[in-house]
Amino acid sequence: MGGQKEQGGARQGFDVADAAPLLLDPHGLVAGWTVHAERLLGHGAAEAVGRKFADLLEAEDAERMEDLLARCRTGGDWTGLMTALHRDGQPVPVSVRVAPTTAPQGRPAVLVLLSELDGGARGWDMSRGVLEQIVAGNPIGIAIVDTELRYVWSNAALERWGGGPGRSRVGLRVADVQPGMDSEAVEERMRHVLETGEQVIDYEYVGRVRSAPLRETAHMLSFTRLEDDRGDPMGVYYTVVDVTDRHRARERLALLDRAGQYIGRTLDVMTTAQELADVAVPGLADFVTVDLLETVLRGAEPVPEPLAGSERMPLRRAGHRSLYEDLPRTTVHSGAVVSYLAGSPPVRCLATGRSWRQEQLDPLAVEWAADAPDGRESTFLELGLQSVMIVPIRARGVTLGLTTFFRRRQSPFDADDLHLAEDLVSRAAVCVDNARRYTRERDAALVLQRSLLPRRLPDQDAVEVAACYRPADELTGLGGDWYDLIPLSGARVALVVGEVPGHGIDAAAAMGRLRTAVRTLAAIDLPPEEVLAHLDDLAFRSARDDDGDGDGDGGDDGSEGGDGGSEGGDAQGNSVGSGCLYVVYDPADGRCTMAAAGHPTPAVVAPDGTVGFVDLPQGPALGVGGPPFEAVELSLDEGSTLVLHTDGLLAHGDGRAEEAGRERLRRALEGTERELRPSCQAVVDALVPARPEDDVALLMARTRLLAPEQIAAWDLPSDPAVVADARRTAQDQLSRWGLDAELKFTTELLVSELVTNAIRHASGRVRLRLIRERTLVCEVLDGGASAPHLRHPRAMDEGGRGLLLVSQLAERWGTRFVPDGKIIWAEQPLTTSPE
């Protein structure tokens, strides 16, 4: 457009004092029209406002306007020559200056100054007085400073921000007129304009001015250099627009945006409450407290009805934040009980669910909290608190607590502040309620977990044990892996580790069913392979019942499952695809029998520290069908450590081979300590990340052997006459063990009945064994293949009372089958410690 040439040609003839100003919006429509513009072009304000400025120019110049408006939108300006059209159609040559500016209410606009070139002004003179008339009614504050940054002129609108009338400003600087203002920042921009000639547009100043000393305001300033006819700087003129409302709206949006990002990052009630206090200080208040009902902190349902105003309303301090070190003067720690006096504003807000605001607190009034930590009541004057807002924390129609906002030196809270606080608290209330509901669900899940996993493993003398469990679902702490130790007859123990596909409550529920079934099957002393066969049948039937068609895939009944999508089992948590390892260890001879269903084989750490893995046939996973389960039997030296684990211990989702996982486990076991518990934890820490992709269970059992003197065994001929000898032999053994007479008497009866039944009803050899461990165990082995049944004989029956007597005398009794027959056993508690 030849802008440089036009600017150079127009510079000599353009004078601000002779110019007719008008205001355009960013789209080029006339937004402000003056009487001087009417005199120049003949159009009245009613005709011009809302009309395109380009329509007032000749066609060639009208085409330039789009480019000039675009230049202004990017902060540029333009000076040049144009031909305007008078209302009567006559051309009017003008010098034009186009520059960006800010309209009232802070909206962007374009300032146009028109100066007639031919000197044919229609009966008016652009003198200084006329110029002052032009700007006197302008709502935008305008001022001119010289090269020393001293005021030479200002309009009446500038008086609204303090500093007195324009005449009193002459010769003063900004710091003299606005002593509380950061004058250095403002004058720095003036100097930049003077030195470079570059305009500074829309510089936002936030601070306090003389017209509003108690609150922070925002103003938009634009600076332009004034030049003489030679182009030398004469000074700076600047405009001021109050944009406090826009600034506060932007701050509110920023505060709410920060709240959306910061509040509710966790599902912890106390943390969420503290996040609310952190966000509100210092953006909204100087001191904020968040108090929640105790039921909310426990995760319980809050009271839906309005709370009655009792003498004192107890809550708990869930969060607080202060801008000043001396607030609060007496600290109420998070989690401590906070009570408010009856009839106080907090109690009323809690009861009604409505917010409350007071611009100016009574300085001599006593604070509302009761039971101050130091026993001393403080006034608001002592605390330095001047203004307050109380906003109930409400979600789903019920009140969860209170948020109290205080100010000390900022301007008093106004209605806009209260609206912002209510919006902020309402957003936080949703997060608090979500955290409360999560707390409730998590507590319920933890109760379920405690009921499914053993709180502690039972005391026994067969093995020394340690266990670790790390769930993949860190939120609930629940998973489908489990471990167990089950005492069996004859001082033996069963060691069990298993896993159900998936995570969360559904997997935990399915795990609970399997664990209960394992304990039931262990109670009837089935061998490992038969235990797994029954579990396999149970898993298949469970899947068929859930699905309804027996295919084991799990049907969709429309219910909302948990988060544990399973692999091989449905979201309902059936047991199809589960794995289990069942091990029976006998401390009498160190023999160990085990079988596996779709589960990793255990490792064995020998007493000398070498690590090996059991060559155990892998049976199919439970419920999927396949060949029968096979068991293996091996002998373990005393002090050997069995390491039972789920596959999460070795698999990290990185595609590593099973053999590589075993090698890592081997290295971890070789470097463990002698003590089992720290060793167990060290293995998990070494192989499992803090947030595993799969649940992990690890059970380590170090074997023990019963001392020879704890076992006594006798082979008996199949002759009824040997019963009396068996009784005397048992009595003699109990005497050597130092057991009391009462235990000798009951043991004599048990031996008599069990040996008699074996000789009478079975064939082959008979063997009597006594074991003194934590209990006294009496076992009788015979070659029979049928289990005895407890009967309840009638008064006139001559027989059938043997097992009934055994059940009355023994604490526990039962039958287990062995390859060469069956063993009937009975246990009695030891009443006297061995000598």
Side-chain angles (χ1 to χ4, degrees):
M1 295 195 308
Q4 294 297 327
K5 179 179 179 181
E6 292 170 1
Q7 285 184 339
R11 184 180 299 278
Q12 298 297 327
F14 191 87
D15 189 351
V16 173
D18 297 328
L22 55 95
L23 202 64
L24 308 182
D25 70 8
H27 304 289
L29 299 179
V30 177
W33 191 259
T34 64
V35 293
H36 307 290
E38 182 178 354
R39 291 173 182 170
L40 180 63
L41 299 181
H43 298 280
E47 298 175 356
V49 173
R51 189 176 179 182
K52 282 190 175 181
F53 178 68
D55 295 341
L56 305 179
L57 304 174
E58 285 192 346
E60 182 179 355
D61 292 327
E63 294 176 357
R64 300 182 178 186
M65 285 307 301
E66 284 299 322
D67 292 335
L68 298 182
L69 293 173
R71 178 183 296 189
C72 291
R73 284 194 289 269
T74 60
D77 64 346
W78 179 85
T79 301
L81 304 178
M82 286 186 174
T83 301
L85 295 176
H86 194 270
R87 189 173 183 273
D88 60 10
Q90 295 298 318
V92 181
V94 289
S95 177
V96 183
R97 185 163 191 170
V98 183
T101 187
T102 302
Q105 292 84 42
R107 293 190 295 271
V110 177
L111 177 66
V112 178
L113 299 176
L114 302 178
S115 181
E116 191 173 9
L117 293 179
D118 60 359
R122 291 171 172 78
W124 54 279
D125 182 15
M126 290 296 292
S127 63
R128 182 183 181 90
V130 174
L131 178 61
E132 291 184 358
Q133 292 180 45
I134 294 175
V135 297
N138 198 321
I140 300 175
I142 304 175
I144 299 176
V145 298
D146 59 19
T147 54
E148 295 181 359
L149 307 184
R150 298 184 181 277
Y151 283 100
V152 297
W153 179 88
S154 62
N155 70 343
L158 200 65
E159 299 175 13
R160 289 179 302 180
W161 291 285
R167 290 188 301 275
S168 65
R169 296 173 184 261
V170 175
L172 302 178
R173 297 177 65 159
V174 174
D176 303 322
V177 176
Q178 296 285 356
M181 189 176 181
D182 183 8
S183 57
E184 286 297 325
V186 176
E187 291 187 348
E188 179 184 350
R189 281 151 182 83
M190 291 181 180
R191 293 189 187 95
H192 175 78
V193 172
L194 281 173
E195 293 170 0
T196 65
E198 298 176 358
Q199 278 189 315
V200 173
I201 304 296
D202 295 343
Y203 164 67
E204 185 172 307
Y205 172 80
V206 179
R208 301 193 180 193
V209 296
R210 294 182 67 173
S211 61
L214 297 180
R215 67 185 184 95
E216 194 174 69
T217 57
H219 296 85
M220 193 74 73
L221 292 85
S222 296
F223 305 90
T224 303
R225 187 171 77 176
L226 296 175
E227 301 171 352
D228 59 20
D229 293 340
R230 297 185 301 275
D232 296 328
M234 298 169 51
V236 175
Y237 84 86
Y238 68 89
T239 60
V240 182
V241 178
D242 189 342
V243 293
T244 301
D245 291 341
R246 185 176 71 178
H247 172 72
R248 296 186 69 182
R250 189 167 63 243
E251 282 192 325
R252 289 185 173 92
L253 290 175
L255 180 64
L256 294 176
D257 181 65
R258 188 163 64 253
Q261 297 177 2
Y262 192 77
I263 299 176
R265 295 178 297 176
T266 68
L267 288 173
D268 180 78
V269 175
M270 295 287 288
T271 301
T272 303
Q274 184 59 49
E275 289 169 346
L276 169 58
D278 292 341
V279 166
V281 176
L284 181 58
D286 296 335
F287 177 41
V288 174
T289 63
V290 182
D291 301 324
L292 297 176
L293 296 173
E294 192 166 2
T295 54
V296 174
L297 294 176
R298 296 199 308 266
E301 287 291 336
V303 180
E305 299 83 8
L307 299 170
S310 58
E311 181 181 355
R312 289 183 178 178
M313 184 62 65
L315 301 101
R316 287 195 179 270
R317 179 60 46 84
H320 63 85
R321 173 68 64 183
S322 177
L323 187 61
Y324 303 101
E325 293 183 358
D326 63 331
L327 273 178
R329 191 179 300 277
T330 54
T331 303
V332 179
H333 298 288
S334 294
V337 174
V338 180
S339 296
Y340 292 105
L341 298 174
S344 62
V347 172
R348 293 199 303 269
C349 291
L350 202 59
T352 62
R354 292 193 294 270
S355 302
W356 179 79
R357 172 177 64 93
Q358 189 167 15
E359 292 187 6
Q360 187 62 51
L361 286 165
D362 181 359
L364 300 181
V366 177
E367 63 174 326
W368 305 308
D371 300 329
D374 61 355
R376 177 180 175 273
E377 295 179 338
S378 300
T379 64
F380 290 116
L381 178 61
E382 293 173 320
L383 296 174
L385 301 175
Q386 297 181 357
S387 187
V388 65
M389 297 186 299
I390 303 176
V391 180
I393 303 172
R394 291 178 58 80
R396 299 188 300 120
V398 296
T399 301
L400 309 176
L402 295 172
T403 304
T404 307
F405 304 84
F406 291 100
R407 277 183 180 173
R408 169 179 281 184
R409 296 190 177 93
Q410 297 187 47
S411 58
F413 290 115
D414 56 22
D416 289 340
D417 292 322
L418 183 59
H419 293 326
L420 175 60
E422 289 175 335
D423 198 356
L424 176 65
V425 172
S426 67
R427 296 182 182 213
V430 175
C431 299
V432 170
D433 192 52
N434 287 341
R436 176 197 64 80
R437 297 171 72 182
Y438 165 72
T439 299
R440 180 190 62 191
E441 297 300 327
R442 187 174 189 274
D443 288 346
L446 292 177
V447 170
L448 174 63
Q449 181 190 41
R450 286 192 291 267
S451 67
L452 296 178
L453 289 176
R455 292 190 180 185
R456 66 178 186 86
L457 297 175
D459 295 330
Q460 38 72 46
D461 291 335
V463 289
E464 175 192 355
V465 290
C468 289
Y469 176 73
R470 183 171 292 179
D473 188 346
E474 62 174 341
L475 290 180
T476 64
L478 290 176
D481 292 12
W482 91 94
Y483 58 86
D484 210 346
L485 184 148
I486 308 170
L488 302 177
S489 63
R492 299 169 306 132
V493 292
L495 302 169
V496 190
V497 169
E499 56 187 317
V500 173
H503 315 295
I505 290 181
D506 291 321
M511 174 266 284
R513 290 204 300 265
L514 277 183
R515 179 171 178 259
T516 301
V518 169
R519 282 184 159 264
T520 302
L521 295 170
I524 58 178
D525 260 330
L526 293 178
E529 67 273 18
E530 292 188 31
V531 169
L532 296 183
H534 284 287
L535 290 178
D536 181 66
D537 186 48
L538 173 67
F540 177 78
R541 291 201 312 269
S542 175
R544 182 184 59 191
D545 293 342
D546 287 342
D547 187 60
D549 59 7
D551 61 6
D553 292 332
D556 181 10
D557 62 358
S559 63
E560 296 180 5
D563 59 355
S566 61
E567 301 170 7
D570 65 354
Q572 305 302 313
N574 67 45
S575 308
V576 172
S578 300
C580 185
L581 174 64
Y582 190 88
V583 180
V584 175
Y585 174 69
D586 189 346
D589 55 10
R591 300 198 67 78
C592 182
T593 308
M594 63 183 70
H599 198 278
T601 58
V604 178
V605 183
D608 60 3
T610 58
V611 180
F613 292 88
V614 179
D615 186 12
L616 178 64
Q618 273 295 312
L622 299 178
V624 300
F629 298 101
E630 297 182 49
V632 297
E633 186 176 284
L634 62 153
S635 294
L636 297 176
D637 295 330
E638 185 173 16
S640 300
T641 303
L642 276 167
V643 181
L644 289 68
H645 62 88
T646 56
D647 56 10
L649 185 70
L650 305 182
H652 295 263
D654 54 5
R656 296 178 183 175
E658 179 182 358
E659 194 60 38
R662 283 190 176 184
E663 185 57 34
R664 293 191 346 266
L665 176 58
R666 184 194 307 275
R667 291 196 300 269
L669 291 172
E670 288 174 346
T672 56
E673 305 175 14
R674 181 63 184 170
E675 293 293 329
L676 268 191
R677 186 168 300 279
S679 298
C680 187
Q681 188 63 53
V683 170
V684 172
D685 291 342
L687 300 179
V688 182
R691 296 182 179 180
E693 297 181 6
D694 194 9
D695 305 319
V696 176
L698 174 64
L699 179 65
M700 298 178 68
R702 184 165 293 152
T703 60
R704 297 168 175 156
L705 288 176
L706 297 179
E709 59 270 18
Q710 291 181 268
I711 305 173
W714 303 272
D715 288 322
L716 305 176
S718 182
D719 182 355
V722 81
V723 174
D725 294 335
R727 288 199 301 267
R728 287 191 298 270
T729 302
Q731 276 192 334
D732 293 342
Q733 183 61 49
L734 267 59
S735 296
R736 286 192 291 273
W737 283 340
L739 303 180
D740 60 22
E742 182 179 353
L743 196 59
K744 292 179 183 178
F745 175 72
T746 56
T747 304
E748 182 182 1
L749 293 177
L750 290 173
V751 169
S752 178
E753 294 299 332
L754 294 179
V755 173
T756 299
N757 283 343
I759 294 175
R760 179 180 297 174
H761 299 292
S763 60
R765 70 187 183 98
V766 176
R767 182 177 177 83
L768 170 65
R769 186 169 73 162
L770 298 177
I771 301 175
R772 188 204 71 206
E773 193 215 19
R774 292 175 180 265
T775 60
L776 179 63
V777 182
C778 177
E779 296 181 344
V780 174
L781 167 70
D782 62 51
S786 59
H789 297 285
L790 180 66
R791 294 189 297 165
H792 297 276
R794 294 186 295 271
M796 302 304 294
D797 289 347
E798 296 184 0
R801 293 180 175 81
L803 289 182
L804 180 62
L805 180 62
V806 170
S807 68
Q808 296 298 314
L809 295 176
E811 185 177 60
R812 292 196 314 153
W813 75 280
T815 304
R816 72 174 183 271
F817 290 90
V818 293
D820 52 352
K822 68 175 183 297
I823 294 175
I824 303 178
W825 55 269
E827 287 185 6
Q828 301 175 82
L830 293 176
T831 56
T832 302
S833 300
E835 296 177 354

